Amino acid sequence: VTLDRYKQLPDSLPLRYIWVNLPGYYLEVWDHDTLVIHSKVIVGKHDTRTPVLTSLITDMVTYPQWTIPESIIKKDILPALKKDPGYLARKGFNLVDAKGDVVNPFTINWAKYSKGIPWKVMQGSGDDNALGILKFNFNNPYSVYLHDTNQRYLFGNSKRALSHGCVRVQKWQELAFYIARNDSLNKTEQQHLSYTTDSIKTWLANKDRKRIIVKNRLPLFIEYTTCEARKDKLVFYEDIYNDDQML
């Protein structure tokens, strides 16, 4: 089954790329056949699985805000609001209308909503934000991204299918600095970089919210392979989404 999945990959991989193996709970960065970063990750739960995809890292955001996806609003937040409109404040969330104004949840009759709500639910940036203090964006139709987390203790778990679909990266800082160095080393004469590793450190230290455009977009492969060769041995991982079983 895994060999069949490998057949769906390009005939040759890029010189530099990020590889995430969901059942293996890890992220790797490869540069000219050299492994430069190996990091634990937390992936989606069985009910909110992380999708298999291929994309490119487009930008990074320091101290990001989190706009909560509609799927989470329907499943978790709306039922909680029906019981207690104070739920948002306890979680550090804001209800925001189309103009960007904050709405008082106590002024709304939540009982009349069942399939969704006409407002956004947002979590402000900061150390308590579910995205942590840095996220990595890439184009995809699933509203998922790589990011830090405010629950870093969960990397100590052996089973880490715990998220709503995004990939939480333990070594997010190393990944950000690698992307910055890669941008600096490979920029063309026409490209102007508005950031360095030092500026990222400064923005994080000052808790500034910055969107950093990545000029040399790093390819990203999020894959589902339940066995692989590691140090000349075959290693097997748990079929966390039952995909192998289905096949």
Side-chain angles (χ1 to χ4, degrees), residues 90 98 132 155 171 175 211-212 214-215 222 226 244 246-247:
R90 288 201 307 276
F155 289 113
K171 295 183 180 179
L175 179 58
R211 182 167 177 254
I212 304 162
V214 177
K215 300 287 187 180
I222 298 181
T226 49
D244 287 7
M246 289 288 290
L247 286 170

Side-chain angles (χ1 to χ4, degrees), residues 181-241:
R181 288 194 301 272
N182 184 56
D183 249 5
S184 179
L185 291 170
N186 296 289
K187 70 181 178 72
T188 64
E189 291 182 3
Q190 291 77 29
Q191 289 177 334
H192 170 70
L193 285 188
S194 58
Y195 77 105
T196 62
T197 53
D198 285 340
S199 54
I200 294 175
K201 290 176 184 176
T202 300
W203 293 330
L204 290 173
N206 294 338
K207 300 189 176 183
D208 292 332
R209 186 168 185 266
K210 294 281 185 179
R211 182 167 177 254
I212 304 162
I213 303 300
V214 177
K215 300 287 187 180
N216 291 276
R217 296 180 172 183
L218 204 60
L220 168 68
F221 298 88
I222 298 181
E223 300 296 331
Y224 191 94
T225 56
T226 49
C227 72
E228 63 184 354
R230 286 272 169 187
K231 297 180 180 177
D232 296 326
K233 290 185 178 180
L234 199 57
V235 178
F236 290 88
Y237 303 116
E238 183 185 353
D239 183 14
I240 57 174
Y241 298 154

Side-chain angles (χ1 to χ4, degrees), residues 147-193:
H147 63 86
D148 173 32
T149 175
N150 64 340
Q151 296 177 305
R152 295 175 186 139
Y153 60 89
L154 292 176
F155 289 113
N157 292 14
S158 57
K159 295 184 178 183
R160 296 191 295 278
L162 304 166
S163 82
H164 284 103
C166 290
V167 177
R168 307 175 193 173
V169 183
Q170 185 176 38
K171 295 183 180 179
W172 58 270
Q173 192 169 40
E174 286 184 36
L175 179 58
F177 292 166
Y178 174 83
I179 291 171
R181 288 194 301 272
N182 184 56
D183 249 5
S184 179
L185 291 170
N186 296 289
K187 70 181 178 72
T188 64
E189 291 182 3
Q190 291 77 29
Q191 289 177 334
H192 170 70
L193 285 188

Side-chain angles (χ1 to χ4, degrees), residues 9-39:
L9 292 168
D11 288 341
S12 59
L13 291 172
L15 292 177
R16 302 174 187 86
Y17 63 92
I18 301 169
W19 179 274
V20 176
N21 185 9
L22 301 174
Y25 300 127
Y26 69 76
L27 172 148
E28 292 181 338
V29 178
W30 288 87
D31 190 330
H32 289 77
D33 292 332
T34 299
L35 178 61
V36 292
I37 298 173
H38 179 90
S39 173

